[in-house]
Structures are given as C-alpha cells and as structure tokens.
Amino acid sequence: MSGEQNKIPQATAKRLPLYYRFLNNLHHQGKQRVSSKELSEAVKVDSATIRRDFSYFGALGKKGYGYNVEYLLGFFRKTLDQDEVTKVALIGVGNLGTAFLHYNFMKNNNTKIELAFDADPKKVGTDIGGVPIYHIDQLEEKLGSASVAILTVPSSEAQGIAERLVESGIVGVLNFTPARITVPERIRVHHIDLAIELQALVYFIKHYPLEGEHEDHNGFKE
Amino acid sequence: MSGEQNKIPQATAKRLPLYYRFLNNLHHQGKQRVSSKELSEAVKVDSATIRRDFSYFGALGKKGYGYNVEYLLGFFRKTLDQDEVTKVALIGVGNLGTAFLHYNFMKNNNTKIELAFDADPKKVGTDIGGVPIYHIDQLEEKLGSASVAILTVPSSEAQGIAERLVESGIVGVLNFTPARITVPERIRVHHIDLAIELQALVYFIKHYPLEGEHEDHNGFKE
DNA sequence: GAGATATTGTGAATAGGGTCACGACTTTAC
DNA sequence: GTAAAGTCGTGACCCTATTCACAATATCTC
Ligand SMILES: NC(=O)c1ccc[n+]([C@@H]2O[C@H](COP(=O)([O-])OP(=O)(O)OC[C@H]3O[C@@H](n4cnc5c(N)ncnc54)[C@H](O)[C@@H]3O)[C@@H](O)[C@H]2O)c1
Ligand SMILES: NC(=O)c1ccc[n+]([C@@H]2O[C@H](COP(=O)([O-])OP(=O)(O)OC[C@H]3O[C@@H](n4cnc5c(N)ncnc54)[C@H](O)[C@@H]3O)[C@@H](O)[C@H]2O)c1
C-alpha cells in the first residue's frame, strides 16, 4: 500500500514538506511557474538537489520552462497528505506542550493534535485551542486511533509514558524530552532536543567560524 | 584560537553535548568508568560511532578498561567551553518564546538567555524567569554582547529582524519560524522547523514502516 | 522559423558519515 | 605468572546524499 513509490531517500522525504509550503506561498502570490533556481533561493536548498528530489517522482518539470506551480502543488498534496489526517496526541501540557496546543499545529497539512494528557488535575478537563485535556490515567482509554504522540513531559516520566503509548498502539513519537527512550524497533522515534541544538550552534560558531566569502576582515579578535 | 583541533565532523560535534549530558548523569551516580558499549545503550548511538567520535580528540580511553568518567567529563567541559557562557537573546516572547524563557534554558551548560525582546507593550518591562523583556525598538541599544539569537517571532517578521540582528553583531541564529532567512555567509543559522519535523515523522511512518524485526542485530562474532 | 536563451533530468564524481572487524593493549581470574 | 576476557582505536568498506556538468529539450525573440 505504501511501498509503491518506494525508493525516495529519507533526506528527500524530509524536504518535501518544505517544498510544499513554499509552493503554496508561490501559488498564493499568483505565480504560475517556478524554476529550481528560484525555488532554491527561497528554501535555501541547492537547485540540483531540488531537481534530483523532484525527479524521484518522475519528470514533473519541463525543460527550458521549469515547473508548473499548480501541477506540482497538486502532486505534493497527493503525495504528502494521502488525503488522510494523522491523529496526534500530546502528552504533558506544560510550557512547551501549551505552546504547541496554542499553535494549533498545522493549517495546511495532514496532522492534527486531537487530544492531550496531563497529570495535573488543574489542567485536566479544560481545553486549549479546542484540544481537550484528559488525565494521564485515562491514556489507554481515550487514546483511540491516534497514531503519533508528542512527548513534552518531564524527562523522568518519558520512558514510562513511552511504554504505555507503545502498548496502546502508537507508532511514532516526537520526543522533546532530553531522555533517550527505549522502544521496540517498529516504533519510530524522532528526538528534538532543543538544549542540544543550542549547544551545537554555539559549538559550531566557536569552532567552525564561517568566513564571510569577502575578504573584508572586520575585527575578529583573538 | 579555535582552529587547532580542526577536523571534527559536524555529526560528531552535534553529539558532543549529548555525551556530555549523559556523562554528567553517570558522574552523579558515582560511576567511575564507562565503556563505549554502556554509553551506547544510554544515548542510543552505536558504540563504534562513539569510539570514533572520541578518537577525534585523541586517545581518551584505555584498552580493556573503557573511559574514566571524570577525565572524560573534564575533557568535554573544556572542549564544549562549559566555563565560558555564551549570551543569548530571545526575540518574540509569544507562546514558544515564553516556554523557552520559563525553561530557563540550561542548567548545566554554556548558554544563557540574558534578555528578550518583543513588540507588545504589555510584555515590555516585565520579566520571565529572570530574563528582562525589552521593546524591539531597543534591540540595537540593549543587545550588548549577546552573540546568538533565538528567533520566535511571527514568520513575516523574521527576515527584517534577522537583518537587524546581523547588523548588531549577532553571529548565530536559532530560527524557529517557518521562514527561510537570508543572511551573510558568515552568519550561522540553524532552522528548527517543528511543523516539518512532525510532517516528516508522519511521512516516514506511512512510507517507511519499520518492521518489528524480531531478529536482533547484534552481529557479534562467535 | 531560426537562433538565442533557459532549464530540466541524470550519469558521474565527490563528500560525509556509519559500521565492521581486528590488532593491540589492559585488566581480571586463578 | 599465565591465560582469559574486555575494550579501545582505527583501517577498510559501505551507504547515503550532494554537487557538478552537460545533453536534451523547451521557450522566447524577432
Ligand atoms: N520548555 C522548554 O523550553 C524546553 C526546552 C527543551 C526541552 N524541554 C523538555 O520538554 C519537556 C517539557 O518541558 P516543559 O518546560 O513544558 O515542562 P513543564 O514542567 O512545564 O511541563 C511538563 C508537564 O507534564 C505534566 N506531567 C508531569 N508528569 C506527567 C505524567 N506522568 N503524565 C502526564 N503529564 C505529566 C506536568 O503536569 C506539566 O504540565 C521536559 O522534558 C523538558 O526537559 C523543554
Ligand atoms: N508555538 C508553536 O508551537 C510553534 C510551532 C512551530 C513554529 N512556530 C513558529 O514560531 C514562531 C513563534 O510562534 P508563537 O506561537 O510563539 O507565536 P506568537 O504569536 O505566540 O508569538 C510571537 C511573538 O512575537 C511578538 N512580535 C511580533 N512582531 C514582533 C516584532 N517585530 N519584534 C518583536 N516581537 C514581535 C509578538 O508580540 C508575540 O509575542 C512563529 O513563526 C511560528 O510560526 C511556533
């Protein structure tokens, strides 16, 4: 069922939502055609990479012309959305979790946070941005057909909750806690570790200073 | 200054804060030695990769023994510049920005959000988690020696603010907006695009379902 | 319609990381 | 002291992704 358009590299798959978003922008601006070069400037991805990415889906463009925005958009809509909304559950309505709920995650895409869980009785029973908050004790009972979970609980709770989620049929986890959770191999876990992202950025700045390609050395002191 | 221990792969550099964090845990647990295999299980990184990562810094371990936790920790502290705090400014104290300020970013590391900016007069003048919030009009005036910025403004504002930040001497940006900003080459920008992370996770689940491989992949000889 | 120009799609080369597998060395057991 | 067990550091290999560079093909100009 899902295995037909098979060989798309993962790196490409991660860029698809980005392309999709920018194509939407272009479409709203009334643009009818776009070249890989233009798109490259907008999304900051090399134009050859864009052409290669698109080519995995066949010949979507026309030589000497570029790509038809509307056609491309329709194509991505089918490819990304699969006209099927994935239900997402959010666990841990604290600082981060609340922000995500308010963001009411996606306007034009295939995911929706349908429900949330917390251990705090003050939060249970309320809703944020239309998403109801249940008590974590009701996890198994309420989870329903949600297949993806966003994990924003304290890190000490992460492993235990992850196990319950897996038991309840979740197949993907977006883990914002610093804990590295252990789950069966069939479960996909993506870590987003904000503290590490910041530390890594600082490390790169200090250890791999980017040269401004112009020779103008303005005061890099030792 | 920074160019001596040069050839560390970026992938390695991104894992260093992770190692550091787990080594700290081990140290607090009173553990004195650790093998790459043990560490591997904790951080979910292949043990050969860990050894390779460490080896870029020289021979930090002892054959037949493993690594001395305290020594390794001291080494990473120096390498990651834990002693020297990088000042960070946060721009846009909305849902996400507020969460970050409350998190009071890092306990055991080298970065600190020192100040924040927003355009909303109701927020200006207050502080969150001890971080003062200034008006965005005072950006140039107050920014001081902050060298990194966290960007959590509406995406329409991102490019304009980024330009002002660059003008004011910022060298790194952690961009949480969906906008792809254009900056001089010497500026390092890391994008964290939460919507895309979620979409990509969903895409992977649908198109690359992980088989629950019962066969464990411990291809150890014998 | 012809020549100039634009742009794709892709083979080939390059870059970048991850993993295997084993020699070298250390520690542990007895 | 000797043998067994444990673990590192790394050469060799493999895989994935990126980039170059160009033939093929389309559009545009007049
Ligand atoms: N806020 C940030 O900026 C930030 C940055 C990086 C990482 N993180 C990580 O994200 C996670 C959440 O951070 P936060 O700032 O939102 O923390 P928080 O303390 O504000 O929120 C945690 C929420 O989880 C709830 N909770 C606690 N135990 C629970 C359980 N067993 N089941 C269900 N809910 C439970 C709490 O009631 C609370 O609402 C933490 O692991 C943190 O380390 C946060
Ligand atoms: N909240 C989320 O979960 C989430 C998820 C993914 C991406 N994002 C992105 O992160 C960014 C922030 O999201 P948010 O939910 O915190 O939005 P928000 O609207 O809650 O916050 C934006 C803040 O920026 C301030 N602001 C507006 N214009 C400004 C300016 N010119 N200078 C300084 N401050 C200004 C506003 O006053 C507000 O406080 C957005 O670009 C959003 O797309 C947010």
Side-chain angles (χ1 to χ4, degrees), chain A residues 90-100 117-121 123 134-137 139 151-158 160-161 164 175-179 192-196, chain B residues 21 96-107 113:
Chain A
L90 183 142
I91 326 290
V93 189
N95 292 311
L96 256 197
T98 301
F100 293 161
F117 296 90
D118 202 289
D120 184 345
K123 288 168 182 161
Y134 300 107
H135 194 278
I136 186 68
D137 288 351
L139 182 66
L151 208 50
T152 48
V153 294
S155 60
S156 57
E157 306 290 321
I161 304 246
R164 291 172 63 187
N175 178 15
F176 285 89
T177 79
I192 300 187
D193 200 318
L194 301 173
I196 281 184
Chain B
R21 180 195 293 161
L96 257 196
T98 301
F100 294 160
L101 291 182
H102 275 124
Y103 192 56
N104 194 359
F105 240 99
M106 316 301 137
K107 279 115 202 179
I113 302 179

Side-chain angles (χ1 to χ4, degrees), chain A residues 100 103, chain B residues 93-96 118-119 123 136 152-153 155 157 161 176 178:
Chain A
F100 293 161
Y103 192 57
Chain B
V93 189
N95 291 311
L96 257 196
D118 202 288
K123 287 167 183 163
I136 186 68
T152 48
V153 294
S155 59
E157 305 289 322
I161 303 245
F176 285 88

Side-chain angles (χ1 to χ4, degrees), chain A residues 11 49 57 100 129 132 135 137 139 149-150 154 162 165 167 182 184 199 208-209 211 218:
Chain A
T49 299
F57 299 98
F100 293 161
H135 194 278
D137 288 351
L139 182 66
I150 296 176
L165 288 168
E167 199 62 35
T182 301
Q199 285 195 74
Y208 300 83
E211 291 299 328
N218 52 353

Side-chain angles (χ1 to χ4, degrees), chain A residues 9-26:
Chain A
Q10 303 214 350
T12 296
K14 286 196 84 162
R15 283 187 292 265
L16 297 182
L18 186 62
Y19 298 146
Y20 182 66
R21 179 195 295 160
F22 276 84
L23 287 170
N24 250 317
N25 291 351
L26 291 177

